[in-house]
Amino acid sequence: MDKGMVLGLDATSRRSLDGATCTPLSTSHTRSATSPESKLRVAVDETMSTAPAAVLPQVSTIPGGSAPSMATDGATIESAAATTAAAMAVEATALEAMADESGRPTVVSRVWSDLDKTKFFSAGAVATGTLLTIFHPFDVVKTLQQTAHGRPPPLLGTMAAMARTSPRSLWRGYAPSLVGAYVVDLVYYPTLELLKEGLLSAGFASPAAHGASALIAEAASNLVIVPFDVITVRLVTAAAAGRPASSTAAIAADIVRTQGVAGLMRGYTLTVATYGIESAMFWAIYAWLRDAGYALLHPPDQPCAAMEDRPLIHAAAGAVGGAIAGAATNPLDVIKTRVQASTAAVSPISSLSAFRAYVAAMVANEGWRVFAKGIPGRVGFLAPTMAATVTLYEMVKEFATA
């Protein structure tokens, strides 16, 4: 299962998305002012400049002299403090503010602390279930293509044949895949969002912050997803090999009996490498394309108050990013899937030398083209799910803003 790439799958969605809004930015807010201190100063200045006169401290003249004094009644001080607090709050939403010297619109992110977590995870669960139900058949065929020793079955032809003979076979492994997606959301998204906010506030460029955050979030969430991934792969390949149909519980019990509990974590390192690189690539590409789309469709001479085309920008950037990241990491995914599908008591890549020998044997038996197996299914899964994921996630964050 490609965990992440639906709203709970990391991915990087799994996968962070910004829940971004477009606001006009003055030409004085340039890319050089990217430090937290500069952003805070801008936020304070803008908030103070728009504060009602009654909120600001009142200035008077000292009797017998010209020196100004500041009124210090309790209500005024309290109002001034509230204004300053509001300015400080603005800084949190300015973490992703970006613009160039021409004054292009800035993208402002809703920070993790602003979200109603109950609404966020509830809406995300609905989106995850919907996307996985629709696109899981692509992941099933991808697994069959990658584990085929010979000419891989065609994507659409295989799906059509399975639909004719046994429609339910297109959703083999669906249950553990879905449960894993729901569970991993609880780890992936908080890690991703909090790390991203920290890197952006430290002055990292948006693509770099997105990519690094996704890589670390994948490493953490893979501790949760790998057992579900292993069980899903076994369910798909066992049925394809003609072995008796098994339930999720029966497959899990068989793995523990023959390989120990460690068997449920088989391929963890490869999973981190596959999904981690995939997520880092996706979010970096997505952030760059998204920002480029905003700049292209909303040049400085046009208002940006209305952003009806944002979903189109997000969907296009998500589809392209998912397709590129999926194809680029397919070689690692082929190795990972075959290792997880192995029923041997000992992992075929238990050491670095064993890993090299395993890869060399794959090339010797099937040629370098072995690493291209599954690309149609993988891209067919990731491109549409990531297009839908980023679009829906932006909407979910909008809905969940506290």
Side-chain angles (χ1 to χ4, degrees):
M1 174 190 66
D2 250 318
K3 89 147 177 76
M5 301 313 293
V6 293
L7 271 187
L9 287 177
D10 240 311
T12 236
S13 189
R14 292 165 183 8
R15 33 263 116 330
S16 156
L17 306 111
D18 298 327
T21 56
C22 182
T23 58
L25 191 70
S26 67
T27 55
S28 63
H29 301 182
T30 65
R31 286 188 184 276
S32 60
T34 56
S35 68
E37 295 79 10
S38 299
K39 292 176 183 176
L40 178 58
R41 183 67 267 160
V42 169
V44 172
D45 289 345
E46 290 182 344
T47 303
M48 296 296 288
S49 68
T50 58
V55 174
L56 300 177
Q58 303 299 310
V59 178
S60 61
T61 303
I62 298 176
S66 60
S69 69
M70 186 173 294
T72 57
D73 61 276
T76 300
I77 293 176
E78 188 173 287
S79 297
T83 301
T84 302
M88 296 287 288
V90 172
E91 192 272 341
T93 64
L95 290 176
E96 260 188 311
M98 294 184 300
D100 59 20
E101 290 75 0
S102 64
R104 284 191 173 91
T106 179
V107 178
V108 180
S109 169
R110 290 177 178 81
V111 296
W112 181 251
S113 59
D114 289 339
L115 301 183
D116 181 321
K117 305 307 185 294
T118 300
K119 288 183 178 180
F120 175 82
F121 286 114
S122 297
V126 173
T128 295
T130 302
L131 290 174
L132 191 60
T133 300
I134 295 171
F135 294 106
H136 186 72
F138 286 91
D139 203 37
V140 169
V141 177
K142 182 268 297 185
T143 299
L144 296 176
Q145 289 177 326
Q146 291 180 338
T147 54
H149 294 276
R151 185 182 181 88
L155 174 64
L156 297 180
T158 301
M159 292 178 69
M162 293 173 72
R164 285 194 303 269
T165 58
S166 178
R168 292 182 59 185
S169 64
L170 288 169
W171 281 270
R172 289 172 185 157
Y174 173 78
S177 183
L178 182 63
V179 173
Y182 284 152
V183 173
V184 83
D185 273 358
L186 302 176
V187 178
Y188 184 90
Y189 279 118
T191 305
L192 180 67
E193 292 290 343
L194 293 172
L195 284 173
K196 185 194 69 174
E197 289 170 14
L199 291 174
L200 289 167
S201 67
F204 283 79
S206 181
H210 280 76
S213 301
L215 182 62
I216 297 171
E218 284 289 351
S221 61
N222 282 170
L223 290 168
V224 178
I225 197 62
V226 167
F228 296 98
D229 218 6
V230 171
I231 294 170
T232 299
V233 169
R234 293 289 182 86
L235 283 168
V236 173
T237 55
R243 294 192 289 272
S246 299
S247 65
T248 298
I251 288 287
D254 182 65
I255 292 173
V256 173
R257 179 178 58 80
T258 59
Q259 302 168 12
V261 176
L264 293 172
M265 294 300 295
R266 178 166 289 187
Y268 171 76
T269 303
L270 278 171
T271 303
V272 172
T274 303
Y275 292 158
I277 296 173
E278 175 191 294
S279 285
M281 287 184 65
F282 170 77
W283 290 116
I285 294 169
Y286 168 77
W288 184 81
L289 289 176
R290 180 205 61 191
D291 297 342
Y294 286 158
L296 177 65
L297 296 182
H298 297 276
D301 59 341
Q302 296 180 9
C304 67
M307 288 287 283
E308 291 86 355
D309 53 0
R310 278 196 302 149
L312 296 177
I313 296 173
H314 301 154
V320 173
I324 294 174
T329 56
N330 194 73
L332 283 172
D333 196 47
V334 172
I335 302 171
K336 175 194 77 69
T337 301
R338 291 194 174 194
V339 167
Q340 291 179 333
S342 171
T343 57
V346 179
S347 171
I349 56 166
S350 55
S351 64
L352 182 58
S353 58
F355 172 77
R356 288 198 295 261
Y358 187 79
V359 173
M362 289 174 62
V363 175
N365 294 330
E366 302 173 65
W368 289 101
R369 294 178 62 181
V370 64
F371 298 116
K373 289 183 176 181
I375 286 182
R378 187 164 166 77
V379 171
F381 177 80
L382 286 176
T385 55
M386 287 317 301
T389 293
V390 291
T391 305
L392 290 173
Y393 189 52
E394 299 283 7
M395 296 177 181
V396 167
K397 291 186 77 173
E398 183 89 24
F399 167 74
T401 299

